[in-house]
Amino acid sequence: MIVLACFAGSVLMSEMKGKICIITGSNSGIGKETALSLAKMGATVVMVVRDQERGEKARTEIVRQTGNNSVDLMFCDLSSMDSIRSFAKEFKKKYDQLDVLINNAGALFNKREVTSEGFERTFAVNYLGPFLLTHELLDLLKSSAPSRIINVSSGLAKNGMVDLDDLQSEKNYAGTKPYSRVRAPVYANTKLMVMMFTYELARRLKCTGVTVNVLMPGFVATNLGKNSGSLSSFLMFKMVRPMQVSAKKGAETSVYLASSDEVKDVTGKCFAKKKEVMTCPASYDEELQKRLWDKTEIMLGLA
Ligand SMILES: NC(=O)c1ccc[n+]([C@@H]2O[C@H](COP(=O)([O-])OP(=O)(O)OC[C@H]3O[C@@H](n4cnc5c(N)ncnc54)[C@H](OP(=O)(O)O)[C@@H]3O)[C@@H](O)[C@H]2O)c1
């Protein structure tokens, strides 16, 4: 019996052996649980975080719990396009393969803030950052094909809208209150953009062997919103805690999309609870997807 159990354990451990996976925002919440699960499966996990202390703490825990020493820590502030470019350069110096990129990091802010590079912060972290990071790593993802890109969006995307004339919410900034009925809070807008980016990218990556899918993790007990700068949001998050699922449960769809053979050829789809789901009608507007893409490239100087 013991021998069988050990054998089963080692099979499980080798499921992702040889695969190199980047997970942004992996020092906490859904990202940390995703990193833990993929490390358990034997993957080389590159935890991309912005804070050394929080990152080291999470990395140590993951190594201890999984026995997998191939858990690397690298630094990147996704609100800074300079930081993203430097990270991508560093990563490519260190690794010559990338099998899975999980754009997981996300944040929301009560008040409008502008980064030193001139971008509204929610827009920068949730949408612009993942767009640029993906762009910077795309050559490596293509040369490592079959490879996978996984974008973490939110069910709240359905409350979002994309105003191409006000992508940075200069005219209208609806801050946190992520679970309120506010029409088009900035967080929801950015998560809708993530869906549209996924669908457009999937079309552009046809026949490359690189798949890209998006997911909605559900209502998950994490640190999201805790540092949004709003007391009412903080209290609201405390109140809704009993309705939330654990971060481990919230990570299941990310892990599934990163590792399951069932989805190895699936691209341009959205998943929730490990099942393909439809998203809001606005997300499928191909004309808007293209125009958003073009505008984003101009903003990032990629055009
Ligand atoms: N929790 C939910 O109910 C829920 C629902 C739908 C979607 N989501 C999405 O799930 C993803 C993971 O969030 P979570 O719920 O696990 O929340 P979380 O515990 O707050 O984790 C968010 C992660 O993103 C990182 N991050 C934030 N700003 C960053 C920046 N500028 N640069 C680099 N990393 C940054 C955080 O790092 P620090 O620790 O340094 O801040 C943290 O590691 C997010 O995209 C979120 O929008 C969550």
Side-chain angles (χ1 to χ4, degrees):
M1 276 305 259
I2 291 167
V3 173
L4 270 180
C6 291
F7 180 66
S10 69
V11 168
L12 187 70
M13 270 298 287
S14 63
E15 248 175 88
M16 288 290 284
K17 208 166 169 53
K19 303 275 184 203
I20 300 179
C21 308
I22 286 183
I23 306 152
T24 66
S26 41
N27 60 286
S28 107
I30 296 165
K32 183 177 167 195
E33 288 296 334
T34 306
L36 181 78
S37 294
L38 293 176
K40 241 182 221 164
M41 292 175 174
T44 294
V45 171
V46 181
M47 299 174 65
V48 178
V49 305
R50 61 174 166 165
D51 180 89
Q52 176 139 19
E53 204 180 319
R54 288 197 289 275
E56 287 292 359
K57 193 166 171 251
R59 195 191 85 89
T60 307
E61 254 179 74
I62 291 172
V63 170
R64 185 175 44 78
Q65 282 188 43
T66 61
N68 182 347
N69 288 313
S70 302
V71 180
D72 195 359
L73 194 61
M74 292 186 77
F75 300 95
C76 179
D77 178 349
L78 284 155
S79 70
S80 158
M81 304 307 124
D82 271 357
S83 173
I84 292 169
R85 287 189 168 101
S86 314
F87 160 74
K89 227 184 229 168
E90 278 303 299
F91 181 84
K92 287 191 265 191
K93 261 193 227 155
K94 222 168 163 181
Y95 295 94
D96 55 12
Q97 177 193 332
L98 176 58
D99 301 280
V100 180
L101 165 64
I102 307 185
N103 287 309
N104 165 82
L108 49 98
F109 304 93
N110 188 36
K111 293 213 174 80
R112 188 172 187 278
E113 287 173 29
V114 177
T115 67
S116 59
E117 294 166 342
F119 298 118
E120 186 280 309
R121 199 173 288 280
T122 325
F123 175 68
V125 176
N126 293 357
Y127 169 68
L128 218 45
F131 187 105
L132 181 62
L133 182 61
T134 306
H135 172 87
E136 294 291 313
L137 296 172
L138 213 46
D139 50 352
L140 193 53
L141 284 156
K142 283 181 184 167
S143 64
S144 311
S147 54
R148 306 178 185 198
I149 304 167
I150 296 146
N151 294 326
V152 180
S153 180
S154 164
L156 292 169
K158 67 176 185 298
N159 297 338
M161 61 176 258
V162 175
D163 179 353
L164 291 175
D165 295 323
D166 190 25
L167 286 177
Q168 306 233 45
S169 310
E170 284 167 282
K171 293 184 209 150
N172 181 18
Y173 188 90
T176 48
K177 297 196 178 66
Y179 303 108
S180 78
R181 294 207 175 84
V182 176
R183 180 73 192 143
V186 173
Y187 176 79
N189 298 346
T190 60
K191 291 299 183 181
L192 175 58
M193 290 177 208
V194 169
M195 281 175 177
M196 297 177 91
F197 160 56
T198 306
Y199 300 150
E200 176 66 26
L201 181 60
R203 275 195 302 278
R204 290 175 186 242
L205 289 177
K206 245 185 191 164
C207 305
T208 59
V210 185
T211 63
V212 53
N213 292 294
V214 64
L215 69 96
M216 303 188 288
F219 194 24
V220 191
T222 64
N223 289 331
L224 191 71
K226 277 190 185 161
N227 303 319
S228 65
S230 154
L231 179 65
S232 62
S233 296
F234 175 77
L235 293 174
M236 191 268 301
F237 274 104
K238 279 222 159 271
M239 269 161 38
V240 296
R241 188 119 296 196
M243 291 181 258
Q244 294 174 308
V245 299
S246 68
K248 185 175 166 57
K249 189 96 197 138
E252 282 178 359
T253 306
S254 298
V255 176
Y256 172 72
L257 287 175
S259 61
S260 173
D261 254 6
E262 281 172 15
V263 285
K264 68 178 176 11
D265 299 318
V266 177
T267 190
K269 303 291 180 201
C270 182
F271 286 76
K273 295 185 182 163
K274 301 197 274 184
K275 294 266 178 297
E276 198 182 309
V277 292
M278 293 296 286
T279 51
C280 57
S283 65
Y284 296 113
D285 181 338
E286 289 189 17
E287 181 55 33
L288 192 55
Q289 288 166 14
K290 286 195 184 81
R291 291 175 66 204
L292 174 64
W293 183 286
D294 291 344
K295 200 137 192 187
T296 308
E297 282 195 333
I298 291 169
M299 281 174 138
L300 291 169
L302 304 172

